[in-house]
């Protein structure tokens, strides 16, 4: 038992290192390995972006994609971003990784555009640490210049908790991005603590209803009420609203009837590598 060993180690006073080693849980060791492996992951070509379609509810046409990072670990196989993004945040690796994501996503979106596809919106997740970097907007500028991607087709997703953290600074950064024509959305909306009065001041374009509310539809009265409240709030603030985690035909029908404009989820497509999505686009005759 780790806690007991730790307690024991403290009491011992000497030879602490051994005890601490013994006390180090498998989980902590795993995390340490992950941290080390993450340092080389990009250079070793283990990172890849997958893209998940976003559709317009009314027409069911694909109007955009969200870029989602994938790590193919040589030993562990596919490691979930939910697992390694927080680690990358803590170690600062997220800065390099995030820039790579932005660059790769914009490059791919430009390729699709040049191949003659109708303009697709490319949504890219931005972590808190990334967003708070002094040179974040300059980095975005550089990536846009290097890739030649239209800023009007780029959307940055920032979570509710990040956006509410330092409001004055947030407004300034968002305004700077907005001035370039970039769209901004609040990810995982409903899971944080949004101040509605701040929400009104932010130059944002859309709210993404968190999957945790969508997954219990239909059936959960609470979640039905929450989802409807978010859709209503978006309408009041003149924001677009998209639901994530849409998996069933019934959820599609419900969300559409409630006025949710865009939908994203396994029902329409799982996140896929660019080549697989290109094939899908070709088949759709786009
Ligand atoms: P997110 O931005 O909220 O992305 C949506 C997540 O829901 C993705 O998980 C997606 O694969 C999953 N998802 C979409 N539709 C469905 C569905 O119908 N059912 C279910 N069960 N899941 C669905 P993923 O790819 O594992 O990413 C998890 C989180 O990791 C993301 O949540 C995002 O916060 C973070 N993340 C992913 N890529 C990046 C990145 O490039 N940069 C940063 N900073 N964070 C990222
Ligand atoms: Mg997202
Ligand atoms: Mg989300
Ligand atoms: Mg989420």
């Amino acid at each position: 038992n780790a806690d007991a060993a730790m307690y024991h180690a403290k009491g011992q006073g000497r030879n602490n290192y051994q005890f601490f080693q013994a006390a180090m849980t498998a989980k902590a060791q795993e995390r340490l390995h992950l941290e080390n492996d993450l340092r080389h992951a990009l250079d070793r070509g283990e990172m890849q972006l997958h893209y998940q379609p976003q559709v317009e509810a009314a027409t069911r046409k694909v109007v955009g994609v969200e870029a989602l990072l994938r790590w193919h670990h040589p030993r562990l196989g596919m490691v979930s971003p939910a697992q390694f993004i927080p680690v990358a945040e803590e170690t600062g690796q997220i800065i390099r990784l995030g820039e790579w994501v932005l660059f790769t996503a914009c490059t791919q979106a430009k390729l699709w555009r040049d191949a003659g596809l109708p303009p697709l919106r490319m949504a890219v997740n931005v972590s808190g640490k990334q967003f708070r970097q002094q040179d974040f907007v300059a980095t975005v500028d550089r990536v846009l210049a290097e890739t030649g991607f239209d800023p009007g087709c780029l959307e940055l997703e920032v979570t509710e908790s990040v956006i509410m953290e330092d409001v004055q600074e947030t407004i300034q950064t968002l305004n700077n991005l907005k001035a370039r024509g970039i769209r901004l959305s609040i990810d995982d909306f409903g899971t944080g603590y949004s101040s509605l009065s701040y929400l009104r001041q932010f130059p944002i374009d859309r709210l993404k209803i968190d999957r945790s509310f969508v997954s219990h539809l239909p059936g959960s009265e609470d979640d039905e009420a929450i989802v409807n409240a978010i859709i209503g709030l978006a309408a009041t603030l003149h924001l677009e609203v998209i639901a994530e985690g849409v998996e069933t035909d019934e959820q599609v029908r419900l969300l559409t009837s409630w006025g949710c404009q865009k939908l994203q989820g396994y029902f329409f497509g799982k996140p896929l590598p660019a080549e697989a999505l290109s094939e899908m686009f070709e088949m759709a005759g786009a």
Side-chain angles (χ1 to χ4, degrees):
N1 173 299
D3 286 339
M6 203 71 94
Y7 179 78
H8 191 63
K10 271 186 193 160
Q12 283 281 320
R14 66 188 164 83
N15 229 349
N16 268 352
Y17 180 70
Q18 260 182 1
F19 281 103
F20 273 108
Q21 237 191 358
M24 198 186 249
T25 60
K27 218 180 162 139
Q29 288 209 22
E30 188 189 297
R31 147 89 211 220
L32 211 65
H33 281 302
L34 215 62
E35 209 179 295
N36 280 325
D37 294 346
L38 199 54
R39 288 180 212 288
H40 310 288
L42 252 192
D43 301 328
R44 293 179 180 162
E46 293 163 11
M47 291 291 177
Q48 186 190 20
L49 285 187
H50 281 193
Y51 302 90
Q52 186 177 33
Q54 300 182 330
V55 309
E56 191 171 58
T59 60
R60 299 203 178 185
K61 266 171 98 168
V62 177
V63 288
V65 295
E66 177 177 6
L68 293 156
L69 191 53
R70 295 291 176 261
W71 181 13
H72 304 274
H73 191 283
R75 252 180 323 108
L76 303 171
M78 188 87 102
V79 182
S80 159
Q83 233 181 311
F84 72 81
I85 294 281
V87 178
E89 274 251 320
E90 276 178 51
T91 61
Q93 273 283 109
I94 193 68
I95 303 304
R96 235 186 111 220
L97 213 49
E99 185 174 338
W100 180 85
V101 168
L102 193 63
F103 183 86
T104 307
C106 288
T107 302
Q108 184 57 55
K110 179 75 162 63
L111 279 172
W112 277 326
R113 189 79 190 102
D114 289 347
L117 287 183
L120 282 176
R121 232 194 260 180
M122 175 60 75
V124 177
N125 292 285
V126 175
S127 85
K129 200 162 204 162
Q130 223 184 329
F131 186 76
R132 300 263 171 246
Q133 286 286 299
Q134 284 303 318
D135 61 353
F136 175 61
V137 177
T139 301
V140 174
D141 278 341
R142 189 159 37 77
V143 169
L144 286 170
E146 280 171 10
T147 58
F149 184 52
D150 174 10
C153 288
L154 178 62
E155 174 165 303
L156 299 178
E157 297 191 359
V158 186
T159 63
E160 199 179 358
S161 43
V162 168
I163 230 168
M164 290 294 160
E165 211 168 276
D166 181 342
V167 172
Q168 286 320 312
E169 195 191 311
T170 295
I171 291 179
Q172 211 168 37
T173 305
L174 294 179
N175 276 329
N176 286 335
L177 294 166
K178 200 75 222 148
R180 288 148 172 83
I182 296 166
R183 283 168 215 263
L184 306 159
S185 70
I186 303 190
D187 207 351
D188 303 344
F189 192 80
T191 60
Y193 303 89
S194 270
S195 151
L196 296 186
S197 66
Y198 285 148
L199 204 55
R200 204 166 35 123
Q201 296 176 44
F202 292 145
I204 48 167
D205 300 279
R206 72 170 165 184
L207 305 180
K208 284 195 90 169
I209 304 172
D210 192 66
R211 191 176 77 213
S212 59
F213 304 116
V214 176
S215 63
H216 301 118
L217 300 180
S220 160
E221 270 180 45
D222 285 351
D223 288 341
E224 285 186 20
I226 291 169
V227 168
N228 270 292
I230 297 175
I231 294 171
L233 178 68
T236 304
L237 298 176
H238 306 290
L239 301 174
E240 191 183 280
V241 63
I242 179 167
E244 62 179 20
V246 179
E247 294 186 354
T248 68
D249 185 53
E250 202 161 10
Q251 288 168 346
V252 174
R253 279 190 282 115
L254 268 182
L255 288 159
T256 307
S257 73
W258 291 341
C260 189
Q261 293 130 328
K262 305 253 166 89
L263 307 167
Q264 176 182 351
Y266 293 172
F267 181 82
F268 299 102
K270 289 195 173 184
L272 290 171
E275 311 78 61
L277 216 63
S278 301
E279 278 171 32
M280 254 180 62
F281 290 144
E282 271 167 39
M283 286 200 302

